[in-house]
C-alpha cells in the first residue's frame, strides 16, 4: 500500500468534510521488527478512538513462501491501546516540543492556537472548533514524533516477527456495540522480507547570493517515504551541524512544474565557502542517509542597474540602444553586455560582449522580425545586474507563410472541429478563418478577431441541403500582415437521412433455388442492398441476412443456401455510405418444394456369387444431398418389404441370407435431407 504523509491526508479529509470515518494505517518493515502507525481521519472518530482505544490484530498468511492454512490470527494486546497516563509523558515532553503538544491536545483543559496563513498549516486556517484544533495539531505533532505516537496509543513496534513470515496487520477502534458512529478498520501488509533501505533526498540545489543561500530539493518523488527534512551545514565539508530546529515539511509548487519542492534560506557571510546537505525523516522517526553535498559562497550583489530609455532605428536592419547607469557604479564594473531574445521572457543570449564601462549606447545590425534586448552590467566578481527588456521590431511588410495541415470533422450535432499546424514566425499574432458552402464562390470570414490557437470549433445547421462545407485559413502577424490562403479543406456533413427503401418486384423457382429481383433504392448515396430471409413456421421469427450486394447495380439474387422443402419470406434493405439503412421492402413469400428427383439420379446394380454364397449389391447417387438409403427385398416385385437402412456414406451391401436356386427382387430408395423420397429402384437376381 502506498504511504502518504499522515498530516497531508488528514488535512485534506478535514478540508473536504468527509462524512465517512476511517482508521488510516501505515507500516515500516525492518530486518528484525515491524513498526506501525495509525490515526482516525475525522475529529469525532479521533476523539472516540482515544477514549475507547485500538485493537491490533496480526494475521500470519504465509511462511517461507507457503500459504498458512488456516490463517493464524493473534491479538497483539488483549486490552485496547489507549493514551498512556499523563505522568508517563512528563520526561519526554520536556525534551520534545511535539510530545508536549500531543499531551496538551489529549489532556489539556483548553487548547487555543494561532494558525499561520501559509504552508501546510494554512490548510486549517478556517478551523475554529477546539476539537478540530486538538485533532489537527495532535496529528501534526505525532507525524514528527513516533515516540509521541506510541505514547498516544497510535503506534507500536512488533519485535515478535519471524523471518520468512508475511503478515497482515489490522487496526480497529474498540467501539462499544451501542456506539452511534461507525469507524472503518484499516489493514496493511508487512514482513521482514519487505525491508528496504531509506533513500537519499533527491535534487538538492543551492543558489548563493548576497549574504544568503536558497536551498531547494524535490519533495514529491519521496513524499511516500519522508514526511519532513533536516538541513545540515558545514564550513569545512566534514563537520556538519543541524540548522533547522524544527523539521521542514512546507512544500511549494511552481506554475507549469509538476515537481513539488522544499525550500530553505540561510544567512551566510560573503566570500566564504559553505557546504550543505539534507536528510529525510519518516513517520517512524527514522532519519535516512544524507543527500549529496552542495557548496558555494555568497557574493555582494551589484547595487546599480542599467535602464534602457531610448531606441533608434536608422535602417530596417539596425537599431541603436541607449541606457542609463549611475556614474559612481562605473568604477565597480568591468563591462556591459547586450543580450537578445525572441520573447520577453527569454532565454536571453549575449550578442555583444565587452562593452566598455563608460559606454551608454550600442548599435546592433542583425535584427530579426521581432527582438527583445537587455543590457547587463558585470562587476569584478562576475556578478551581473540586468535591465528590463525592451522590444525592437523593424518595419515589417512581409506576411507570414500560409498555414498548413488544415484538417477537420463535423459531428452529428453540427459542430465542426478544425485544427492545423502552428506557424513558426516569431511575430505571429494568430489566424483568420474563412468558410463557404460553395468552393467556387467567395469565402466569408467567420472570425471577428485574430484567433490565437491552432484549434477552432465552428457550429452549423446539420439539416440544410448542402452535403459539404469548405474552409480556408490565413495567418496574421503582429503588424497585421496576412498570409495567403491555406489549401481548401472539404468537410463532409454527417448523413442523418436513411436511404429510400427498394421494391421487391418478382421471384422465380427452380431446382437450383429461389431467385428474387428488386428495384434499387433511388437515394444517390446507396452503397449496397441487403437480402434477408425468414423460414415460415419456425419457432424463431428472426430475419437472417443471407446476402449483401457488391454494388448498387446488383438487383437480383439466387438463394440456394441450405434450402429445404418449405415456405420462405424475403425482404431487401438499402444501405448508404454512412452505414444508414432504409426501412425494409414489402416482403414476398415463396414456397419451395425441393429439387426434382429423376429416375437416372440413382444407379443400382447387383451380382450373384454362388461360389462364395452371397449377392453383392451396389449403388451410386447423382447430385443429391442424401440423408439415408432404404433397401427392400422380396421374392417377387409385389411382396417387397423393408430389409435394411444405411446412412449416406454406405454405397454397397453383401446379402448372405440366401437359399440356392431361388429368385430375389431388391428395391432401393433414398431419402433427401429435405425429407423427400426418391422412387424405388428395383432389381431381380437368381441365386
Amino acid at each position: 500500500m502506498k504511504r502518504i504523509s499522515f498530516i497531508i491526508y488528514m488535512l485534506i479529509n478535514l478540508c473536504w468534510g468527509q462524512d465517512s470515518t476511517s482508521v488510516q494505517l501505515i507500516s515500516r518493515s525492518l530486518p528484525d521488527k515491524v513498526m506501525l502507525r495509525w490515526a482516525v481521519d475525522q475529529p469525532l472518530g479521533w476523539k472516540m478512538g482515544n477514549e475507547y482505544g485500538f485493537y491490533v490484530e496480526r494475521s500470519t498468511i504465509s511462511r517461507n513462501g507457503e500459504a498458512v492454512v488456516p490463517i493464524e490470527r493473534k491479538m497483539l494486546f488483549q486490552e485496547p491501546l489507549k493514551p498512556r497516563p499523563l505522568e508517563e509523558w512528563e520526561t519526554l515532553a520536556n525534551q520534545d516540543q511535539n510530545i508536549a503538544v500531543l499531551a496538551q491536545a489529549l489532556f489539556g483543559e483548553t487548547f487555543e492556537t494561532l494558525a499561520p496563513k501559509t504552508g501546510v498549516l494554512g490548510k486549517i486556517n478556517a478551523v475554529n472548533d477546539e476539537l478540530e484544533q486538538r485533532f489537527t495539531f495532535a496529528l501534526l505533532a505525532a507525524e514528527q514524533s513516533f515516540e509521541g505516537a506510541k505514547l498516544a496509543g497510535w503506534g507500536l513496534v512488533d519485535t515478535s516477527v519471524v523471518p520468512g513470515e508475511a503478515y497482515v496487520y489490522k487496526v480497529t477502534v474498540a467501539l462499544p456495540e451501542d456506539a452511534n458512529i461507525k469507524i472503518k478498520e484499516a489493514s496493511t501488509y508487512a514482513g521482514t522480507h519487505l525491508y528496504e533501505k531509506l533513500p537519499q533526498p533527491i535534487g538538492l540545489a543551492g543558489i548563493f547570493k548576497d549574504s544568503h543561500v536558497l536551498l531547494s530539493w524535490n519533495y514529491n518523488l519521496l513524499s511516500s517515504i519522508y514526511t519532513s527534512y533536516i538541513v545540515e551545514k558545514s564550513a569545512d565539508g566534514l563537520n556538519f551541524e543541524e540548522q533547522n530546529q524544527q523539521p521542514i515539511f512546507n512544500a511549494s509548487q511552481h506554475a507549469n512544474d509538476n515537481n513539488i519542492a522544499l525550500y530553505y534560506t540561510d544567512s551566510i557571510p560573503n566570500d566564504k565557502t559553505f557546504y550543505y546537505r539534507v536528510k529525510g525523516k519518516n513517520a517512524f522517526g527514522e532519519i535516512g542517509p544524507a543527500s549529496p553535498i552542495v557548496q558555494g559562497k555568497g557574493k555582494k550583489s551589484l547595487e546599480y542597474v542599467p535602464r534602457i530609455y531610448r531606441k533608434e532605428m536608422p535602417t530596417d536592419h539596425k537599431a541603436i540602444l541607449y541606457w542609463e547607469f549611475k556614474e559612481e557604479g562605473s568604477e565597480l564594473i568591468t563591462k556591459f553586455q547586450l543580450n537578445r531574445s525572441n520573447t520577453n521572457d527569454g532565454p536571453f543570449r549575449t550578442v555583444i560582449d565587452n562593452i566598455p564601462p563608460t559606454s551608454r549606447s550600442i548599435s546592433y545590425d542583425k535584427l530579426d522580425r521581432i527582438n527583445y534586448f537587455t543590457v547587463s552590467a558585470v562587476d569584478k566578481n562576475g556578478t551581473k545586474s540586468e535591465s528590463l527588456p525592451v522590444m525592437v521590431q523593424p518595419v515589417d511588410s512581409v506576411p507570414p507563410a500560409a498555414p498548413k495541415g488544415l484538417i477537420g470533422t463535423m459531428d452529428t450535432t453540427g459542430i465542426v472541429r478544425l485544427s492545423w499546424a502552428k506557424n513558426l514566425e516569431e511575430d505571429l499574432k494568430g489566424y483568420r478563418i474563412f468558410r463557404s458552402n460553395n468552393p467556387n464562390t467567395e469565402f466569408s470570414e467567420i472570425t471577428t478577431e485574430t484567433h490565437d490557437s491552432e484549434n477552432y470549433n465552428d457550429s452549423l445547421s446539420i439539416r440544410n441541403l448542402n452535403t459539404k462545407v469548405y474552409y480556408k485559413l490565413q495567418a496574421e502577424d503582429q503588424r497585421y500582415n496576412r498570409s495567403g490562403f491555406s489549401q481548401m479543406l472539404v468537410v463532409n456533413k454527417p448523413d442523418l437521412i436513411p436511404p429510400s427503401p427498394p421494391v421487391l418486384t418478382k421471384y422465380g423457382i427452380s431446382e437450383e433455388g429461389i431467385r428474387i429481383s428488386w428495384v434499387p433504392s433511388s437515394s444517390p448515396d446507396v452503397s449496397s442492398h441487403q437480402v434477408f430471409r425468414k423460414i415460415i413456421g419456425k419457432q424463431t421469427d428472426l430475419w437472417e441476412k443471407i446476402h449483401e450486394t457488391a454494388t448498387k447495380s446488383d438487383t437480383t439474387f439466387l438463394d440456394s443456401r441450405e434450402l429445404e422443402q418449405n415456405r420462405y419470406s424475403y425482404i431487401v434493405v438499402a444501405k448508404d455510405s454512412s452505414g444508414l439503412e432504409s426501412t425494409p421492402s414489402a416482403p414476398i413469400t415463396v414456397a419451395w418444394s425441393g429439387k426434382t428427383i429423376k429416375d437416372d439420379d440413382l444407379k443400382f446394380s447387383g451380382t450373384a456369387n454362388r461360389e462364395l454364397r452371397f449377392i453383392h449389391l451396389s449403388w451410386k447417387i447423382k447430385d443429391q444431398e442424401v440423408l439415408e438409403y432404404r433397401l427392400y427385398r422380396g421374392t417377387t416385385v409385389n411382396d417387397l418389404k423393408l430389409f435394411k437402412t444405411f446412412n449416406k456414406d454406405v454405397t454397397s451391401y453383401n446379402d448372405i441370407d440366401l437359399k440356392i436356386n431361388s429368385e430375389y427382387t431388391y428395391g432401393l430408395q433414398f431419402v433427401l435431407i429435405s425429407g423427400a423420397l426418391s422412387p424405388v429402384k428395383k432389381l431381380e437376381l437368381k441365386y
Side-chain angles (χ1 to χ4, degrees), residues 340-348 368 370-372 426-427:
R340 184 196 167 279
S341 173
N342 294 329
T343 67
N344 184 65
D345 298 324
F348 284 86
D368 287 346
I370 189 168
N371 310 266
Y372 289 88
E426 296 168 357
D427 61 341

Side-chain angles (χ1 to χ4, degrees), residues 305-308 373-375 386-390:
V305 180
R307 183 182 73 86
I308 301 174
F373 290 103
T374 63
V375 173
E386 191 171 12
S387 71
L388 294 174
V390 296

